[in-house]
Each structure stands twice: as structure tokens, then as C-alpha cells.
Amino acid sequence: MKLIKKARLVYQQANSDKVYEVDLVELNSASERRFLVNFRYGRSGQTLREGSKTPLPIERERAEKTYSSVVVSKTNKGYVHRQDAVAHDQLERLEVTEQEHISSLFSRIQQESDPKQKARQIWRLAPEQSSEVAQYLVTLLGSHHWQLDYSLLWAIGRIGDQSQLANITPYLSHKNPNLAALALEASLALSDENTALSLIRDAGVANNPLLQSVESLTIELDQASKHGDANALLKHCYLQAQYCRATHSALVSVLKDIPLAPGTFKGLRYLFKMSEFRLDADVFAQLSYRFETQKHYFTADWSYYYHPRHGRINVQEELKKANSRLAYSKATRNYLRRRSWRVLKQLGISQSPSFVVMATQVLLAFNDSDSDNAKTSEIFQYDDNWQRQLIAVNHYEEFAQYLTFNGLLRLNHPSFSKSKNGLSWRYHPEQVFSGRGEAFPEQWDQAPDALLTLLQNSTCQPVLAFASTALADNHAFGEQLSTDLLITLLNRPYPECQQFAFSLIKTRPLEPKLILALIGCNMAEAQHFALAALKQQPSLLTQLDFLCSLLMIEQAELNLWLAETLQPTDFNQVEQTEIVSSLCTRLEPYDALTRRHAKWLAIVLIRCMNKGIQHLDFTILKPLAMAKHEAQQVFACRLLVEHPISYVDIPPELLAALHQSENVGVRARALLLLKKQNAHELIAQLDNLLELSFTGAPEEREVALELLLKLIIANNKNAAAIFEGILQKLASNQLGDEQQLELKNFITLNLQPQLATITADQLWLLLNAKSSQAQLLAVTALNSRDLNSAPWPYHLKQWLQLAQSPTQAIRQYCINYLSVHKSLLLTSQGDFLSLLESNWPEVQAFIFAFCRNEMDQNHWSPDLIVTVCDSNNPSVQTFGRELLQTFFEQSQGKNYLIKLSQHPSENVELFVTNLLSEYAANDEATLLKLQPYFTSVLTRVNRGRLAKDRVMAFLQQQAQCSTAVLNMVATLFTRLSLTQVQKDKAVLLKAMLQLRKIDPNLALPISVLGNTVTTSSNSPV
């Protein structure tokens, strides 16, 4: 939605003060009918009622005419233009000058005859002393209208002097407790100190020391709450606070915790009203904030309210009770919220100095945690065709729900306006505005100290944005601000504070403390600015205190420049010692030190200030090493490694604290202290170091390997032991991939001689390890020997085992080795044939090629050929048949037949049928041995048809060989007749009839009856 134009009209005559607003807006639509004319009207300063002259969107021309007619109509009735707005103009609220306000208001009071209306006008008087007005108000006392008397007492107490005290005194004993209480407040306001103390004593308010501290006041309030006296105690406390600052401070501190609930709410309401009367900014702000942020106790939408503990309650009757179980309704909360804003607004209109004081405390009460998610609501309306049309979109930003907060910061901001209910503020993103939008800007301009207070203490981003913008316009005030104050603002974690401070610092000479502050803040622009200035003045680094402060700052660009700039020759030994000592002292209580910065700082000092470390008093390092924070301990350990103190002189309690630290980084750094031992002393720690290098955390493993390297350099015997220990651990496959890689790299870099002279047993351990890194290490060792001149002394079974390794490089080495040493395979009695079934294509290809190219008839014995044929691998079976056909020996035919018949493969069974007639025909013994083969072939289901037909024909031929063979064939056929499919039974019956002809008494499941053949069940076939 886009605002096209807007008019603000006002009508001020006699007691009338009315506002009428009309605007022309364009909807986000492609239709020509996309324009609306909306209006708002009501009393000035109150929530305006809304309406529209166009219930449905209309064309631009009609909308313009409607807009103009509304404006003309109102101006004809006496309204005048106070503001004509278009989308890019600044919208300004109506503000009345102090002189106009006072004269107009006093005139209305004098002319008003209605007591209630007169009371309302009197209530609006500014809280500034005015003898003339006060004397007039005194004459109105005793009107018998309690609202009017209440307003008179209120106004006289705020604007009068001691001369009106006698007129108020009679009300101290008034039967209306509200008038009596206000009369006491007014009397105290008009009295001198002695008279005020006398009035308080007469009112029975004795000085109670228990109300002067937070702890004792909290206890007193708890006790009073249990006895139902909390409201009275709060009133007593606030009266005592009139003359006791300690009581006032304690009360302000506990206000945030006193519940807005029955038993205490009446007292809190009294405090709120009287804080308004006294212009007590601290109490007023605390309670105003709570009304804005804390939900109501109950909702009085109906005559009755259901209480979770007390059940059904009549609201009106209950609220009249002194010990009411209800308080702080939704309506009461909204009234108090409106009253908070009205109080501040009236102070602002009257240009009271109290406005800024009160508003400052109210704004300070808010913080960033009070924000909510930004929201958007769409408003639709149905047209004549019952089509839903979008007529408005309302936006609400994060703090939209706070009435007083938004009123103070956004009253004159065109991007914000009150919502229809007057309790929240809408945001208009289409309004572009870069100026200030707060209420009563001229009063804020006259109180820059208050703006500075907000900038120094607020934790709310919108408040800081307002304060920084307003202060930026006051150049004279900004120039007077001290360097220390600007540094304080720069160190606040808010961009608004930092940007304001930086804008002023840029115009000043950059002294060292400003450079430190700029670099230390988290504002990138300020950091770059300060670093550029520092690079132009490198001589500043000779100021040791300044240099130490720079070194304490963790900022990437600065740290890099310092590391490149500082040199060991820049400082003598005394200066270096002073720098290191100062840094150690500063770091001990410094909780913000990070591990990364501690490491960087230690490295810089070790490189550039080593002489200082050498002469550093150990007692300065000890507290750092014993500190609770890891970063300090890491820093101390690094410096201890470089410190000349011997290992035995380090206190045992310090070593124990470091080694037993819960932080792995500290334990790792503590291990480095072992560097102070010589190799002879360090070797005693070998087992522990090896274990840490295997199972420690990454930092511990790194240090452990560093110490192992020291042992390796010192002694070859140590190197051998370390090499053996690492090999055993790698072979155990108990390490993760990261640890395996670390150990493999360590051996490759630091144990190369041991790897080059590795024994066959050690290598075999690596070759068979499940660790991939161990096997890669084994490959390196394997390749260290020449295949011809110095082969590894492994037997064939070991080489065959390695040929099946999951590591390709090991398999390839085996292939290369066996290619050179072919005799191992040729004399192996066929042990290598298992490789024909290898899962690795290159190994299988090598063995197939070897068998075909290197082996002849002298190598292929019948048993080997049968072994090949006996494989379950189809390609190996095919190769076996190829061998049979190539190297077949007639004398071994029966042997081939018997052994191959035992193979379950369908293809082998079919191949065997080729041998039956030549090597089994008329051979009773061989035929009987082949019975399992015949059974396997004939009982296959839906497979092996050719083999079945050949076997059936062969058995019919061989049935006459002998009685034993005939019985075997009869048994086979009988079994088959029970399981064969229908189409095979005819062939089977024919075969059994032939067997019956050979032996009529042969046991078969058929019988011949005349010309009819039946089965054993006598059913005809």
C-alpha cells in the first residue's frame, strides 16, 4: 500500500480541540480500481476513530475528487490545515507552545461551569509553580464534588507554595481517604523540611530502619503480605522515602519483584499516582515499565470471573472489598498504560524540565530482551461480487506493543502511527524518513546530558539509536566530551554508541589510549582507522606499557602486523623481561583470553622476547600455570618449555595440576615439559608416550609424537623400540582412521631407516593388518627390495594369501613377484588354482593367463583338471572343460567320469553324459557308482532336458548289463514315476514295460492286464 497524499485538519474553538485526518492511498493491484480514501477523527491527543469514504477500491480520478470534497467540507466547517502531507514529506504532530498552552488552559478553567470538566482541565496544569493560578484554585476548594477537590489538591500541591498550606490542612482529616492521602502529599510538597517531618509524624509514619535496605525491606514485605498488610506498608514506605534516601533506594530496588496482584496492587497503584505527583522519575519509570510489560491479573469482560482457586466471583462486588481477591484487570492495565503516556505528554506540551528527567528513566527501563517478533496483518473486505479484496496491510515492528515507549521515540516519526486501539504503534515501511522522530525534540536538545545518560546506560537499540542521532546534532556538546567518556562509549557492545564515539574520535589527535580503544572495539571501521594510524607511528611500540596493551588485544589484522613488525633486536634483555613479566601479570586475571590468542601470544614472545623468558622469575609463571582458565595454562606451559628451569625443579603440585587437568589442551602442553628431560630420563616414559600417541586426544598425540621424535634422534635403540611398538598397534586395528594416518606419516618421515630394514615377520604383520594405513606402509617396505636379487622369504601359501589382499598395491606386487618367480607356481601341486576364483579381476586374469601360457600337458594332471572343473564359478568350469578337451587322456577317462559325476553343476552333468557310453557302458561296478549322478540328473525339475534324455536312453540300454544294474534302473524309474510331470510319464511307462520284458518278475509299479496297462493303483493309463 502506498500513500499518495494526506491532510491533517484541526478545530480549536472554546472547549473544542478536534483533529480530522484524511488520506488517499493506492493498493498493490493491477486493477484501475485500486485507490481508497480513509479518514480518522477525534479529540486531540486521544485515540482517533477510523473510517473510509470508499468501502471498495475506486479509480484514481474518483478517489481524487472524493479526497478533495472531504477536505473542502471540513474547512467549510471551521477546520484549518495544520499539515498537508505527501509520501515524501515529514509528518509533524500538533505541538502547542508553552505560552499558548498556559493562557488557553487557564482561560478554559475560569470559563468552565461543569465541575467534572473543570476538574479535567485543572488536572492538565503543568507542574510549574504559579502563584496566580494557585491562589485562584484555592478559592475553588470545598466544591462538594470530590473529583474537583481531588484535582484542586493535586494542582495546588504541584504549582502552589507554602501560603496555600493552611487551605489544604483541613483535608488531612477528610472522610474520603483518597482526598486525605492526597492532602498529606500536597502538604508535604508545600512545606519546609521541619513542617514536613511534623506532618509525617502526625500521620503516624514513624521512621522504620527495617525499610532502609533491600534485604530487610524484602523480609518486611513478605511478612506483611502474609498478614494482608502489604498495601499499607508500601504507602508507609513511600512516605518515609520523602525524607529518607536509603528507603527510597531500597524501594526502587524491590519494586520490580512486587507482584501486580491482590494484596499488593493497591499499594503499587498508590505509589504510581504519587510518583506522578512528586515527579519521582525512578518509581514512576519502574511501575510504568511493569504496566507495559507484565500481563494483567484477570480480565473483567463479564460480570463474573472464574478464579482457578476461588471459583466464581462477582467482579464488581469483589473489587469493593478491602481484601479483594481480584486486582489489576486488563482494563486497569490499559488505563495505567495510557496514563503513563499522558503524564509524559502533558509534561512535554507544557515544556516542563521534568519531561526529560521522567522520560529518560522510562526509556532506561527498556532493554533489547523486551522486543518481540515483527508482525504483519492483512485487512480484507468483500466486494459486491463476494470477491475478497485486500484494503490494508498493517506492519508492527519489534517494540510495537509499548505505548509510552513508542510515544516518546516515534511521536513525530512519519513511519509510525498509533493503532486503532491506541495501545500499540503501526509501522509504515513506505514512508522514507531519515530525520529525528521523537516527541518534543527541542526539549531533548536542551538536555544533552540526559541523552548522554541514555547512550551510556541504555541496553535497548531503539533508545540508543534515538540518543546517538539527537546527540550527533549537538556538535558543541560533543566536542566537550572527554576522551575517557568516548572510550567508554566505544567499548559498549552497541553499534550506535560505537559509531557516535568514533565520529568524534576521528576529529581528535590519536593518543595511545584512543588507538587501543579503537582497535579493541568490535567496529571494523574503527579498527582499520586506528591500525592505519599506528602503522604511521611505529615508534609508539617502544612504549612498553602501550605495547603490552596491544599484545593483549585479539584482532587478526593487528596480530598479523605485530608478528611481522616485532623483532628480537628491538628490545634489550631488561626490556624483554619487563614486557614478558607485565604480560604474565595482566593475563592472570584476564578471563577473556582465548586459546588461540594465548597460543599466538606465546609464539610471538618465544620468537621476539626469548631473552626475557630466559630471565623471567618462575614465581610469575606459576600462578598462570595454576590458573583455572585453560588459555592461561596453555600460555604458561609454552613459556615454561622455553624457561631455563629444569624439570626436577618444577613443583610437583604444579605438574600434577597440569597433567590431571580436565582440559586436553592443558594436558598436551604439560607433556611438552618432558622436553626438559634428557633422552635417558625420557625413555622411562616410553610406554606412556606410545600409549598417548595411540589413544590420546589430537593435541596429546601431537605432543607425544614430538617427544618420541626426540628419543628417536637420541638413540637408534630407542628408534627400534618405537618402530616395533607402532607396528604392533597398527596391526591391531584398534585405532581410528585419523590415528592410523598420523602413525603412518610419523614412520614415513622419522623412521625411514627402520622401515628400510624391516624384518619379514614385521612386514608380514603389516601386510595382514586390517588397517589400510598399515598396508600402505607395507607396500612401501615391499618395494624396498628388488624382486630378483633380494626377494622376500615367504612361501607360496603366504604369497597366495597376499594375492587376495584388499589393498590393490599388495596384490599387484604379488602378481609381479609370481611373474618373476614362476617356478613357485609350477611346483606347487596346484595350490594356486584357488586364485582362479579370486574376487579381484587382475589376480584372476593373471592366473588364467599363467595357466594357459605357462602350463602344458606335463603340468596338468587329471586331478588338477578335475579340480578346475569342480569349481562352482561358471568361468572356471568353462576353463576346466577347455582343459579336458585339450589334455584329455583316454586312460584316465573312467577317473574323469567318476569324479566329474559328483559335481552338482548342470553344465558339468551334461558334459559327463559324453563320457557315459565310452567309460561306463556294460561296466556293472562303474554303473552302480554312478547311481547318485543318475538320480541327480533325472530328478531336476524343468531343467537339464538334454542330459535327462541321454541318461534315460543310456539306462535303458544298460539295464541288461546285470541283475544289479537292472534293479538299480528299476528303482530309479519307480521313484521317478511318483514325481515326474504328466508329459514325461508316457516315456517312463514305456521304459518300465521294456524292463518288464527283460524280467517279468521285476518289481515295478505297473501291471499288464490283457491289452490294458495299469499302475499299481489299478487305474487305467
Side-chain angles (χ1 to χ4, degrees), residues 768-782:
N768 288 281
K770 293 182 179 180
S771 163
S772 59
Q773 298 300 328
Q775 293 189 350
L776 290 175
L777 201 60
V779 171
T780 303
L782 280 173

Side-chain angles (χ1 to χ4, degrees), residues 279-509:
L279 297 177
D280 183 347
D282 293 328
V283 174
F284 180 85
Q286 280 274 10
L287 292 173
S288 176
Y289 172 76
R290 293 193 63 190
F291 298 148
E292 288 279 22
T293 57
Q294 289 191 229
K295 191 177 179 181
H296 47 272
Y297 183 79
F298 78 105
T299 302
D301 291 337
W302 306 95
S303 299
Y304 289 87
Y305 172 74
Y306 182 81
H307 194 285
R309 190 153 53 94
H310 303 297
R312 189 166 177 261
I313 298 176
N314 185 302
V315 175
Q316 294 300 323
E317 292 181 1
E318 186 67 26
L319 291 176
K320 294 176 183 178
K321 297 179 181 178
N323 58 344
S324 173
R325 294 167 295 177
L326 296 177
Y328 191 49
S329 68
K330 181 179 179 180
T332 300
R333 179 194 174 213
N334 290 338
Y335 161 75
L336 292 172
R337 292 174 63 199
R338 291 189 178 98
R339 179 165 179 166
S340 296
W341 168 231
R342 185 172 66 243
V343 168
L344 295 174
K345 184 178 179 181
Q346 291 301 326
L347 289 173
I349 291 174
S350 62
Q351 298 187 6
S352 170
S354 299
F355 165 75
V356 171
V357 178
M358 301 280 281
T360 298
Q361 293 304 314
V362 169
L363 292 176
L364 283 175
F366 288 87
N367 55 70
D368 285 335
S369 63
D370 295 320
S371 65
D372 198 358
N373 295 327
K375 299 175 183 177
T376 300
S377 66
E378 296 179 334
I379 300 175
F380 294 90
Q381 192 173 44
Y382 286 93
D383 60 19
D384 295 338
N385 297 321
W386 289 99
Q387 297 296 314
R388 197 171 70 156
Q389 300 289 337
L390 177 67
I391 62 171
V393 178
N394 293 330
H395 301 274
Y396 301 90
E397 58 85 67
E398 292 83 352
F399 290 86
Q401 68 271 34
Y402 303 124
L403 173 60
T404 304
F405 179 88
N406 284 281
L408 290 171
L409 298 183
R410 291 150 179 177
L411 182 66
N412 290 321
H413 201 300
S415 297
F416 294 90
S417 65
K418 274 188 185 180
S419 62
K420 190 173 183 179
N421 63 12
L423 294 172
S424 59
W425 286 67
R426 290 181 297 202
Y427 172 56
H428 307 286
E430 72 277 4
Q431 293 285 356
V432 179
F433 182 70
S434 58
R436 293 163 53 181
E438 75 272 15
F440 314 107
E442 69 286 348
Q443 296 192 53
W444 286 108
D445 289 339
Q446 295 170 13
D449 288 327
L451 294 170
L452 183 60
T453 298
L454 290 176
L455 209 57
Q456 288 178 287
N457 300 290
S458 176
T459 56
C460 184
Q461 187 274 328
V463 175
L464 293 170
F466 148 66
S468 61
T469 303
L471 269 180
D473 291 340
N474 197 331
H475 302 290
F477 182 78
E479 292 174 357
Q480 297 173 7
L481 297 178
S482 68
T483 298
D484 291 338
L485 194 146
L486 292 179
I487 290 174
T488 301
L489 293 177
L490 199 62
N491 290 332
R492 297 209 70 203
Y494 296 96
E496 294 79 11
C497 297
Q498 294 173 351
Q499 187 61 53
F500 173 77
F502 180 53
S503 65
L504 295 174
I505 290 174
K506 285 192 299 184
T507 63
R508 302 184 180 189

Side-chain angles (χ1 to χ4, degrees), residues 234-298:
L234 285 171
K235 294 179 181 179
H236 179 109
C237 186
Y238 201 41
L239 284 170
Q240 181 172 315
Q242 279 273 56
Y243 61 87
C244 180
R245 190 62 195 171
T247 302
H248 186 273
S249 298
L251 179 61
V252 171
S253 298
V254 302
L255 272 181
K256 64 180 181 299
D257 300 318
I258 302 175
L260 291 166
T264 55
F265 176 69
K266 288 183 179 179
L268 292 175
R269 184 175 59 189
Y270 168 82
L271 263 61
F272 178 67
K273 291 181 178 179
M274 292 306 103
S275 66
E276 176 188 345
F277 175 82
R278 299 182 191 177
L279 297 177
D280 183 347
D282 293 328
V283 174
F284 180 85
Q286 280 274 10
L287 292 173
S288 176
Y289 172 76
R290 293 193 63 190
F291 298 148
E292 288 279 22
T293 57
Q294 289 191 229
K295 191 177 179 181
H296 47 272
Y297 183 79
F298 78 105

Side-chain angles (χ1 to χ4, degrees), residues 42-240:
R43 290 182 62 84
S44 178
Q46 296 185 0
T47 303
L48 301 182
R49 299 180 62 182
E50 299 196 21
S52 179
K53 293 293 183 180
T54 53
L56 297 176
I58 59 177
E59 298 89 345
R60 174 71 178 259
E61 184 178 355
R62 287 179 57 198
E64 292 276 8
K65 291 181 179 179
T66 304
Y67 174 87
S68 299
S69 67
V70 173
V71 173
V72 170
S73 171
K74 291 301 174 184
T75 54
N76 290 339
K77 293 180 181 180
Y79 282 82
V80 296
H81 283 274
R82 186 59 186 260
Q83 185 179 43
D84 288 320
V86 293
H88 60 276
D89 288 338
Q90 178 180 352
L91 303 179
E92 298 178 353
R93 269 67 170 181
L94 177 62
E95 292 187 5
V96 185
T97 66
E98 183 179 14
Q99 293 76 14
E100 291 173 337
H101 175 74
I102 294 174
S103 60
S104 174
L105 186 56
F106 189 42
S107 175
R108 292 178 196 172
I109 292 172
Q110 292 175 318
Q111 295 175 14
E112 184 61 64
S113 58
D114 185 348
K116 288 187 178 181
Q117 290 299 324
K118 187 184 284 288
R120 290 172 60 89
Q121 300 294 344
I122 292 172
W123 191 268
R124 297 175 61 187
L125 284 170
E128 309 302 330
Q129 194 172 58
S130 175
S131 299
E132 178 187 358
V133 178
Q135 287 298 336
Y136 169 74
L137 296 181
V138 165
T139 63
L140 301 178
L141 284 171
S143 64
H144 303 296
H145 294 278
W146 82 268
Q147 294 98 331
L148 178 56
D149 283 350
Y150 192 91
S151 295
L152 290 168
L153 290 173
W154 180 279
I156 293 170
R158 301 178 84 188
I159 70 174
D161 53 36
Q162 200 164 2
S163 62
Q164 287 90 40
L165 186 59
N167 302 94
I168 296 176
T169 303
Y171 283 89
L172 292 174
S173 56
H174 200 282
K175 62 181 180 180
N176 187 325
N178 292 326
L179 288 176
L182 181 57
L184 177 58
E185 286 286 343
S187 299
L188 292 174
L190 299 178
S191 302
D192 56 32
E193 184 177 352
N194 292 330
T195 306
L197 290 174
S198 177
L199 286 170
I200 290 176
R201 282 195 299 268
D202 293 343
V205 181
N207 184 38
N208 187 348
L210 296 177
L211 306 183
Q212 297 181 17
S213 71
V214 174
E215 295 77 10
S216 59
L217 177 56
T218 302
I219 295 172
E220 289 295 300
L221 282 171
D222 289 341
Q223 293 296 325
S225 296
K226 293 177 182 177
H227 297 91
D229 300 329
N231 289 318
L233 180 62
L234 285 171
K235 294 179 181 179
H236 179 109
C237 186
Y238 201 41
L239 284 170
Q240 181 172 315

Side-chain angles (χ1 to χ4, degrees), residues 460-734:
C460 184
Q461 187 274 328
V463 175
L464 293 170
F466 148 66
S468 61
T469 303
L471 269 180
D473 291 340
N474 197 331
H475 302 290
F477 182 78
E479 292 174 357
Q480 297 173 7
L481 297 178
S482 68
T483 298
D484 291 338
L485 194 146
L486 292 179
I487 290 174
T488 301
L489 293 177
L490 199 62
N491 290 332
R492 297 209 70 203
Y494 296 96
E496 294 79 11
C497 297
Q498 294 173 351
Q499 187 61 53
F500 173 77
F502 180 53
S503 65
L504 295 174
I505 290 174
K506 285 192 299 184
T507 63
R508 302 184 180 189
L510 283 188
E511 53 186 299
K513 63 180 180 181
L514 277 179
I515 292 177
L516 290 172
L518 289 171
I519 294 178
C521 76
N522 58 2
M523 182 179 176
E525 183 184 1
Q527 291 174 347
H528 296 323
F529 179 80
L531 191 55
L534 180 60
K535 290 178 180 179
Q536 294 176 359
Q537 306 177 67
S539 60
L540 289 175
L541 297 181
T542 59
Q543 301 179 23
L544 301 189
D545 186 67
F546 176 67
L547 175 60
C548 289
S549 299
L550 280 178
L551 290 169
M552 291 282 290
I553 298 174
E554 183 176 8
Q555 202 273 337
E557 190 177 357
L558 170 69
N559 297 156
L560 178 61
W561 180 75
L562 286 174
E564 294 174 347
T565 304
L566 293 177
Q567 299 298 325
T569 56
D570 291 342
F571 306 94
N572 58 41
Q573 178 261 310
V574 175
E575 292 172 331
Q576 289 186 17
T577 304
E578 182 180 347
I579 292 171
V580 176
S581 176
S582 175
L583 284 171
C584 290
T585 304
R586 295 186 187 198
L587 287 175
E588 183 182 352
Y590 186 52
D591 295 344
L593 183 67
T594 64
R595 274 191 62 189
R596 182 174 61 181
H597 191 57
K599 179 179 179 181
W600 172 85
L601 186 55
I603 292 172
V604 169
L605 293 182
I606 291 170
R607 183 178 67 84
C608 303
M609 310 286 175
N610 200 270
K611 292 179 181 179
I613 298 173
Q614 298 296 319
H615 291 82
L616 182 67
D617 187 349
F618 173 74
T619 58
I620 295 177
L621 271 178
K622 184 179 177 181
L624 270 179
M626 298 288 288
K628 296 180 180 179
H629 299 287
E630 172 198 357
Q632 276 87 340
Q633 290 182 310
V634 169
F635 174 81
C637 285
R638 286 182 175 273
L639 264 62
L640 273 175
V641 172
E642 301 298 322
H643 196 274
I645 188 173
S646 63
Y647 188 81
V648 294
D649 290 334
I650 300 176
E653 67 273 15
L654 174 57
L655 290 174
L658 295 176
H659 287 296
Q660 295 171 13
S661 171
E662 295 181 358
N663 192 283
V664 65
V666 175
R667 298 198 303 270
R669 293 301 105 195
L671 280 176
L672 276 177
L673 295 176
L674 293 174
K675 275 189 169 184
K676 291 180 174 291
Q677 296 182 326
N678 58 41
H680 179 71
E681 296 170 328
L682 190 58
I683 193 64
Q685 303 286 341
L686 179 59
D687 292 340
N688 290 335
L689 293 176
L690 282 172
E691 185 61 27
L692 279 173
S693 69
F694 303 148
T695 60
E699 297 93 334
E700 292 178 303
R701 298 200 304 269
E702 179 184 356
V703 175
L705 291 175
E706 190 176 337
L707 293 170
L708 289 175
L709 179 59
K710 180 177 180 178
L711 289 174
I712 290 170
I713 295 172
N715 190 302
N716 284 335
K717 187 177 180 181
N718 296 341
I722 293 169
F723 183 69
E724 178 66 23
I726 295 177
L727 289 188
Q728 293 292 336
K729 200 65 178 181
L730 275 175
S732 69
N733 195 37
Q734 297 175 352

Side-chain angles (χ1 to χ4, degrees), residues 796-838:
L796 179 61
K797 287 186 178 180
Q798 289 177 300
W799 287 114
L800 296 180
Q801 180 180 335
L802 295 179
Q804 298 286 54
S805 170
T807 303
Q808 194 274 337
I810 294 177
R811 298 197 302 271
Q812 189 59 51
Y813 185 88
C814 287
I815 292 173
N816 296 339
Y817 182 86
L818 294 174
S819 297
V820 173
H821 302 279
K822 297 175 182 178
S823 59
L824 280 176
L825 297 177
L826 294 175
T827 58
S828 67
Q829 303 298 319
D831 292 339
F832 64 90
L833 292 179
S834 61
L835 296 183
L836 289 170
E837 298 183 2
S838 173

